[in-house]
């Protein structure tokens, strides 16, 4: 007897890369040396001062619920970080601590999207964004974007794609999978276009801190009414601690707190105490060293892949991804990824996971391995290209 599950569950697609990851792990278990460039997780473990703060929190018995909005000290520390890094005066009362950036997205979609309404999203983009919208019975209106707009939504695209069911737009800067940024002026243009239509602007700033040669602008520099999603996972390297935050306009906070109380009670308490160490000078020095390492990796891998024939039309300024066009080699991106996994034991992600627009001719590389491993990966990819046949798999 086939179980009857909800339509919303059936409509949410799995990560296609998970099948490749499972095969990669099997190959590794069988004794093969697999180079993992498929998962969007920093390879660095959490910095020692943060770990020590977490251990101290456990030893001191900080294992109980916190308030739904999060530890006051952590919210004040985040506000201080905005003052230091962006010269912004953000009231800690506007900051709500969440279980990862995903918890922040869950709150934002629950608050802002009624059934049948939608947000505009760039295609390609992070797949969970559209899935969260489906979960709250809303929808994503995917807007095809290419290198001509640096894979980002623009004010002109908002004007072109906005319709009677649109209620907002979600953008990411830096973006996954492309690593591109929105400038302060571009964020301002999006804000004006959405306000003119009574829409909300939600900005994923989860990769802030991981930028190279340029500082990312926060949307809060141009729009105090925007909603900001952020996380301790990427720049701060706390992926498994599951901790993020949401900055919201003052008028929204009571509703958001109510939702948080009902959806998850509070973010993990020991993770919150650990995160207090993120803003200490010694920790920030470690994180900046890691940012420099990511830039070195990008600066090696980007020209190396281009030399092999991958088309990467826009140089990424942030995150740790390269989104590459494989049309010069022919064939389907998923089969392309399978080929390199099976023959060369290099794992990377097919574009199908990030949307629909030209997805079958793109792949994403995560430069979350050190330089020697990236050099090995390039050597293997060069070898694998010689045996690639577009219809071989």
């Amino acid at each position: 007897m086939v179980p009857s599950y909800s339509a919303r569950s059936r409509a949410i697609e799995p990560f296609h890369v998970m099948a490749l990851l499972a095969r990669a792990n099997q190959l590794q278990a069988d004794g093969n040396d697999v180079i993992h460039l498929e998962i969007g997780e920093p390879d660095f473990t959490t910095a020692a001062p943060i770990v020590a703060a977490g251990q101290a929190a456990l030893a001191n018995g900080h294992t109980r619920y916190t308030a739904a909005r999060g530890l006051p000290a952590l919210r004040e520390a985040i506000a201080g970080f905005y003052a230091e890094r962006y010269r912004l005066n953000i009231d800690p009362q506007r900051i709500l601590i969440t279980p990862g950036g995903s918890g922040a997205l869950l709150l934002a979609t629950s608050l802002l999207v009624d059934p049948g309404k939608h947000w505009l999203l760039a295609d390609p983009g992070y797949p969970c964004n559209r899935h969260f919208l489906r979960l709250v019975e809303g929808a994503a209106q995917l807007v095809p974007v290419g290198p001509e707009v640096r894979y980002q939504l623009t004010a002109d695209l908002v004007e072109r794609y906005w319709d009677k069911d649109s209620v907002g737009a979600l953008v990411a800067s830096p973006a996954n999978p492309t690593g591109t940024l929105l400038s302060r002026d571009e964020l301002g243009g999006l804000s004006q276009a959405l306000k003119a239509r009574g829409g909300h602007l939600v900005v994923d700033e989860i990769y802030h801190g991981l930028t190279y040669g340029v500082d990312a602008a926060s949307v809060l520099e141009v729009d105090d009414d925007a909603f900001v999603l952020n996380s301790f996972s990427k720049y701060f390297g706390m992926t498994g601690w599951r901790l993020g935050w949401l900055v919201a306009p003052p008028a929204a906070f009571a509703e958001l707190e109510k939702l948080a109380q009902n959806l998850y009670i509070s973010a993990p308490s020991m993770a919150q105490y650990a995160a207090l160490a993120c803003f200490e000078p010694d920790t920030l020095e470690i994180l900046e060293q890691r940012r420099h390492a990511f830039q070195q990796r990008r600066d090696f891998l980007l020209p190396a892949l281009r030399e092999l024939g991958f088309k990467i039309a826009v140089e990424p300024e942030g995150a740790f991804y390269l989104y590459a066009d494989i049309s010069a080699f022919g064939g389907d991106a998923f089969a392309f990824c399978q080929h390199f996994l099976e023959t060369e034991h290099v794992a990377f992600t097919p574009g199908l996971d990030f949307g629909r627009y030209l997805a079958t001719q793109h792949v994403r590389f995560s430069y979350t391995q050190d330089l020697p491993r990236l050099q090995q990966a390039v050597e293997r990819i060069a070898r694998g290209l010689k045996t690639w046949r577009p219809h071989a798999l």
Side-chain angles (χ1 to χ4, degrees):
M1 189 172 177
V2 179
S4 177
Y5 297 135
S6 68
R8 76 176 67 85
S9 177
R10 295 195 304 272
I12 292 174
E13 305 166 34
F15 281 122
H16 295 89
V17 74
M18 297 313 291
L20 291 169
L21 178 61
R23 178 57 180 156
N25 289 338
Q26 183 60 57
L27 287 167
Q28 198 161 293
D30 291 342
N32 297 286
D33 177 32
V34 177
I35 301 178
H36 292 276
L37 306 181
E38 78 277 38
I39 301 302
E41 180 173 28
D43 54 320
F44 301 106
T45 57
T46 301
I50 303 172
V51 173
Q55 291 169 332
L58 292 171
N60 291 326
H62 294 309
T63 59
R64 305 176 69 85
Y65 297 134
T66 70
R69 62 179 63 189
L71 287 177
L74 182 56
R75 294 162 63 216
E76 290 168 6
I78 293 170
F81 188 66
Y82 277 101
E84 175 68 24
R85 184 149 293 194
Y86 304 100
R87 302 293 186 263
L88 288 171
N89 181 21
I90 304 296
D91 187 343
Q93 294 297 320
R94 296 175 52 190
I95 300 169
L96 198 145
I97 309 300
T98 60
S102 297
L105 182 57
L106 177 61
L107 290 181
T109 53
S110 299
L111 178 73
L112 301 176
V113 184
D114 279 322
K117 301 300 182 181
H118 60 240
W119 284 349
L120 305 184
L121 272 66
D123 178 2
Y126 181 56
C128 290
N129 293 339
R130 64 180 188 269
H131 297 157
F132 268 99
L133 287 164
R134 178 64 186 89
L135 187 67
V136 298
E137 302 296 338
Q141 183 166 349
L142 298 180
V143 179
V145 293
E148 69 282 353
V149 290
R150 297 178 11 267
Y151 302 100
Q152 292 281 3
L153 284 183
T154 66
D156 288 343
L157 289 171
V158 168
E159 183 176 355
R160 188 185 315 170
Y161 283 87
W162 192 267
D163 65 27
K164 62 181 180 59
D165 292 320
S166 303
V167 293
L170 170 60
V171 296
S173 177
N176 178 7
T178 61
T180 61
L181 302 182
L182 287 161
S183 70
R184 187 178 288 101
D185 287 345
E186 288 167 332
L187 288 166
L190 283 166
S191 170
Q192 291 174 14
L194 288 161
K195 284 187 173 181
R197 292 161 177 79
H200 298 283
L201 176 57
V202 184
V203 183
D204 170 349
E205 298 186 354
I206 285 171
Y207 290 94
H208 269 224
L210 290 176
T211 57
Y212 316 115
V214 62
D215 291 328
S218 173
V219 69
L220 297 173
E221 297 173 37
V222 296
D223 185 355
D224 207 43
D225 294 320
F227 291 77
V228 173
L229 316 174
N230 213 319
S231 171
F232 286 93
S233 290
K234 309 302 182 182
Y235 177 65
F236 296 103
M238 295 180 67
T239 51
W241 300 76
R242 305 313 305 132
L243 198 66
W245 73 85
L246 173 67
V247 184
F253 204 83
E255 289 296 308
L256 288 168
E257 184 176 25
K258 177 184 67 178
L259 288 169
Q261 290 167 344
N262 282 273
L263 291 172
Y264 55 78
I265 301 178
S266 68
S269 55
M270 60 289 295
Q272 294 188 60
Y273 282 98
L276 288 169
C278 287
F279 307 103
E280 297 295 329
D282 289 350
T283 308
L284 291 171
E285 183 177 347
I286 294 169
L287 301 181
E288 285 301 304
Q289 291 170 356
R290 293 177 174 184
R291 167 162 64 164
H292 182 64
F294 278 123
Q295 181 169 356
Q296 289 180 314
R297 297 173 186 185
R298 182 204 64 171
D299 291 347
F300 163 74
L301 190 58
L302 176 62
L305 291 175
R306 282 174 167 167
E307 188 172 341
L308 291 178
F310 292 88
K311 184 180 179 182
I312 304 170
V314 180
E315 179 175 305
E317 297 172 301
F320 35 67
Y321 306 117
L322 297 174
Y323 195 60
D325 185 338
I326 62 165
S327 56
F329 309 118
D332 170 78
F334 194 87
F336 191 78
C337 291
Q338 284 182 309
H339 168 75
F340 284 91
L341 179 58
E342 296 294 340
T343 64
E344 301 297 336
H345 302 147
V346 179
F348 44 92
T349 308
L352 190 60
D353 267 341
F354 306 106
R356 299 176 178 84
Y357 182 58
L358 303 179
T360 60
Q361 66 185 55
H362 283 84
V363 297
R364 187 194 73 176
F365 296 92
S366 297
Y367 43 95
T368 51
Q369 298 288 317
D370 62 23
L371 275 174
R373 289 296 272 173
L374 292 178
Q375 289 164 350
Q376 280 185 301
V378 169
E379 291 168 2
R380 294 186 191 184
I381 292 168
R383 188 171 60 211
L385 285 171
K386 296 176 182 177
T387 60
W388 163 245
R389 301 294 180 268
H391 303 293
L393 295 176

